Amino acid sequence: MGNLQNNSVYIKREDFIPFSFGGNKARKAKFFFEEILRGDYDCVVTYGSSSSNHCRIVSNLAAANDMKCYIIAPLESSEETFNSYMMELFGAEISVVSVDKVSKTIEDKLADLKKAGKKPYFIAGGGHGNLGTEAYVECYEEIKDFEENAAVHFDYIFHASGTGTTQAGLICGKLIHNDSTEIVGISIARKNPRGRNVVLDSARDYLAEKSIFFAENELDDATVFEDGYTGDGYGSDNSSEVIDQVLIKYGIPFDSTYTGKAFAGMLDYLDKNSIKDKNILFIHTGGTPLFFDHLRK
Ligand SMILES: *Cc1c(COP(=O)(O)O)cnc(C)c1O
């Protein structure tokens, strides 16, 4: 992207991952579906709101593999979006329940399917879990390859942080490669300490599964979860101006739920922390259908 606020800013286009508008949920879902297709499963159960990129991708992949997809969705964020239109087009069966009933409804759905002789595979919302984290360790390795080929070292990586495994994977990648790159997750909804703790737990789970050991303080130092840019919470629009400017100047679409919030947050963070003359990587984590929802508003 060139020079922004006296830093050299690069962008990694995860939105270009070539399936169902890409994004970080496409990178994660690939790992889940490898396990599903290797195993003995005939349907998928997951959850997320009507604007969930995760639910769009999972229902697309399920349909592509002739599997039924069941989505449990919270009533509180169930307005129609381009993602929800696609979930319907992919034939997902969507159960809308109030948010406090979501986990019970998931348990019931899984039990009912098993009773009916089905073999459901459950994916946590946002592609949470070690496979989701693994996907972003892989992404970190792509970034390292880029750094080697382009002879550049990133001082900072910024990205939108939500359910946590995108950031956990990047942090594990950084620790495994013993890099100094600072990874800054810009929270799009959760506040500290919870948001940061979920990232830390995901990193710990992944490292434990791989039998890789890091001291708690190393993990702690590597985890920067910035919660000052959440606006009025999930889905609230506090970055319209930046979204418009980036679209005009760079032709790059951001949305107001994830990437716009994170990019606007990054610009302010660079400013507030007097960060200058650094190489900065922003990861565009996708969500292109949400860009169109934003445009229509
Ligand atoms: C889900 C999502 C995120 C957040 O990723 P997590 O792994 O849940 O933290 C960021 N950007 C977009 C576009 C997303 O869909």
Side-chain angles (χ1 to χ4, degrees), residues 15 22 43 48 60 79 89 112 124 138 152 157 199 202 209 222 224 233 247 254 259 269 272 280 282:
D15 56 326
C43 57
N60 197 159
E79 73 290 353
L89 187 150
D112 289 351
E138 179 192 73
V152 55
I157 297 175
V199 174
S202 300
E209 188 189 80
V224 180
L247 184 66
F254 286 149
T259 50
Y269 187 96
K272 284 222 172 92
I280 312 275
F282 180 78

Side-chain angles (χ1 to χ4, degrees), residues 12 35 57-58 64 76 130 136 145 155 170 177 205 246 252 265 271 285 291:
K12 179 163 172 46
E35 186 163 281
I57 306 249
V58 166
E76 287 75 2
N130 285 345
Y136 271 82
D145 286 345
D155 300 295
L170 295 170
H177 292 282
D205 283 353
V246 170
I252 296 173
D271 186 44
T285 43
F291 162 78

Side-chain angles (χ1 to χ4, degrees), residues 135-156:
Y136 271 82
V137 174
E138 179 192 73
C139 176
Y140 188 85
E141 281 165 1
E142 287 178 15
I143 294 168
K144 276 205 79 73
D145 286 345
F146 176 87
E147 286 182 298
E148 273 162 37
N149 293 332
V152 55
H153 168 71
F154 294 123
D155 300 295
Y156 291 86

Side-chain angles (χ1 to χ4, degrees), residues 182-204:
E182 175 123 318
I183 293 155
V184 183
I186 304 285
S187 177
I188 54 88
R190 289 177 181 166
K191 290 291 182 186
N192 284 322
R194 177 178 174 235
R196 184 166 180 275
N197 284 338
V198 175
V199 174
L200 281 168
D201 285 344
S202 300
R204 280 188 203 109

Side-chain angles (χ1 to χ4, degrees), residues 13 19 34 39 49 66 103 126 130 136 149 153 156 162 169 172 184 215-216 224 248 265 278 295:
R13 301 293 301 271
F19 187 81
E34 277 167 8
S49 72
D66 290 319
S103 51
N130 285 345
Y136 271 82
N149 293 332
H153 168 71
Y156 291 86
C172 290
V184 183
E216 263 307 298
V224 180
I248 292 165
K278 301 290 186 195
L295 195 64

Side-chain angles (χ1 to χ4, degrees), residues 24-25 28 53 160-166 258 285-287:
N24 65 344
K25 302 313 184 304
K28 295 188 203 186
N53 295 310
S161 198
T163 58
T165 53
T166 298
Y258 296 102
T285 43

